[in-house]
Amino acid sequence: MTVCFKRSLLALAVCSQFNVLADEAMNEDIEKITVTANRLGKANTEQALSIGSVSSEVIEKDNAQHLSESLQTISGVLINQLSGGQGHNAAIRMPINYGGYTLYLQDNIPLQSAAFYNHNALWWASSNSSLSRLEVMKGAGTSLYGSGAVAATVNVISAPVSANKNELSATIGEHNYQRYNGSYTHLMGEDNGVRISAGYLNNDGWRDNSHLEKFEFNTLHELHIDAQQSIKTSFIASTLDQQMQSSLNDEQFADDPTQSGLPEEVEILDPRRKTDYMRLSSEYQYQGDDVFASVIPYARFRDNNYVATWQPNMPQVESSVTTFGLLALSNFVHTNDFETTVGVDFEYSEGDAYSYQPTTRITTGWGAATYPEGHVFYDDKTSFTGISPYIQHIGYLTDALSYSLGLRYDNNRYEFDNNLPVYDDDGFGNRSIASRSDSYQHLSPKVSVNYLLDKQMSVYARFANAIRIPTASELYHLKTKETSAQLGSLDEETSDTYEVGYKANLDKFSVELAYYFMDVDDAIVTAYDDFGASYRVNAASVNHQGFELGVDYRINPIWSLALAYSQSNHEFDHYIQDQGRVDYRTKQSSEVDLSGNSLPMAPDYVANVRLNYKSKAISGLHIIAEMQSIGDYWMDSENTREYSGYTIGNLKANYAINDVFEVHARISNITDKQYALQAEIRYGKTQIQPGMPRTVYVGLKYRF
């Protein structure tokens, strides 16, 4: 009997026990409301999809330096906070990856354009006192969401002005960690108010060359015109300045995981990443008896300038993206509570990209070369236009059995304008192509059924088709003349998700169990040229499957337990690596058939367990003991080396002195375990992101 099968049996046994507990539970029910699926608040048992949430209480008790620390309490969600900084990647129904399979929102509005996707999107989300909760819709989204909503949709939700959150907080910790947050609400009447929030973070970091400084500001104005109409206007802005490190090899990790991993001559230059972000949006809402309408125009700007320390020559990259968009939908309730939502998303984005060699670099090993200072790798502008109408209908076959049908049409177009002359090879494996245009159209169907076992328990089944369009960088920053066949032939990835699930929200516990199977066709994978440089190509079909179990159990008024567990398998259904490529040295084929192999950096399981203690003896004391664990995974696509995963523990304590003051403390990695947050083999070399050592933080909150 395999380990995976044993764990599946364990999960079924646990669920059987939950059904027994449900029968014994009190009659008082708990309803969980989410908004991400349709922008309307609905009980999760009425929605035929898997959606997890993090409450405002959990966020407040975590006092986290990064949103990832709270998001990991949702089953199947792993967000890696890289090197203790603000960078991150994700593993939600996917291996740990940097691709655009996760859509990030703040207050239902995308944080970035899918055409210029960056895996560090949570840089630009507010993480100060204005937060209300976090939601993660797992799997392909509803018809409201287009490219990128393949593995998950993460929504950072702000508290309404009516919450009247007035708060100042300060947290300090080791390595000169300092975080200050503040929020002030001013009500100008019962129907008119504004909240201003800000946050400042300064951290020298536990690794060399890892200092960061971040400032964020946001304001929210709400005006209720009358009983049916309201306008909500939001402005968010942030700036981040962060030193950069590189991954470590095995010897460096064993010798000193705190080192930067950078060559001495590069570290002296103090490579940094700087990014500025602004977004202005205004939402008009109309809520009638049978009609709901929402119109959200928005404007967004971000720049991102950094040294690509993960590339052998460490080039400087400078980019900016300006976006104007509109999200509009109407929801109509018909006879017998049938409802239909129709809407359209519009986006126009313009991105500038520039990359050059800041210093002369001499690389060694495979593809060794001398990169002269000032060499320009690319200099271009890309315009992106996306228009996506959609429709979603919910109907009822019986009082308990409902169905949902959805359809979304995505029409996306790129206009590429190159400022460099056209050439096949710049001497370092890079091509410069002529200005051109490319377009992508796709129709995504969604269908689901939901059955209410009673008011607070349901089962569901769903199918959803989704896409990920190639980014501007993948399309136009090509490598070597051997990739000329790829010009204009890089297609969008398409995925089909099949999912069944069970939910229950009762007085003492809630449970959510989901099993999914997702296949991805025309998967965009990384290939390498003779210089060791990477480029992107449609070359694989991939299967992802697994189950997710989330449990919250209130043992008694003092003790409660929260479990987030997922187990998954990710493999290449069909993948010929370097198909058609011939090694220039041996003149032999470089093809490798990896069909059936596991994808790299795909943990066997991800688990988070929290034991909560609310003291009766000491009123206001709340202690959280947490365990975070991930299973083993292969470090490369060839499955030649395996990483054993890790398990660490964290301890958190909050003490409310009174209604005004609260003190808190937390210890991360309480056993001071040396571990790899992630480990992979790239360019034939081991690349390790070390995990944070034991670190202590203390803080104070003042509410007024």
Side-chain angles (χ1 to χ4, degrees), residues 7 11 72 74-78 91-94 138 512-514 516 545-550 563-570 603-608 628-631:
R7 288 179 180 150
Q72 66 192 18
I74 300 175
S75 63
V77 176
L78 175 64
I92 309 175
R93 296 193 174 181
M94 283 274 179
K138 290 170 280 185
E512 184 166 344
L513 176 66
Y516 67 90
Q545 61 179 317
F547 73 86
E548 299 153 345
L549 175 64
L563 167 68
Y565 179 83
S566 63
Q567 182 182 316
S568 58
N569 181 50
H570 310 274
D604 173 47
Y605 72 87
V606 176
N608 182 273
Q628 175 74 15
S629 179
I630 72 167

Side-chain angles (χ1 to χ4, degrees), residues 492-533:
E492 70 268 22
E493 296 185 30
T494 60
S495 71
D496 291 323
T497 294
Y498 306 86
E499 180 181 331
V500 293
Y502 166 79
K503 304 174 188 178
N505 301 316
L506 299 165
D507 174 58
K508 290 190 176 182
F509 80 96
S510 65
V511 58
E512 184 166 344
L513 176 66
Y515 174 81
Y516 67 90
F517 177 85
M518 176 173 65
D519 63 64
V520 178
D521 291 326
D522 294 323
I524 300 173
V525 298
T526 301
Y528 299 93
D529 65 16
D530 291 335
F531 290 89

Side-chain angles (χ1 to χ4, degrees), residues 194-215:
V194 63
R195 183 183 65 241
I196 297 174
S197 306
Y200 173 76
L201 171 63
N202 184 82
N203 187 10
D204 286 346
W206 59 273
R207 290 184 67 186
D208 295 340
N209 212 69
S210 61
H211 173 263
L212 72 88
E213 188 173 24
K214 181 182 180 182
F215 174 76

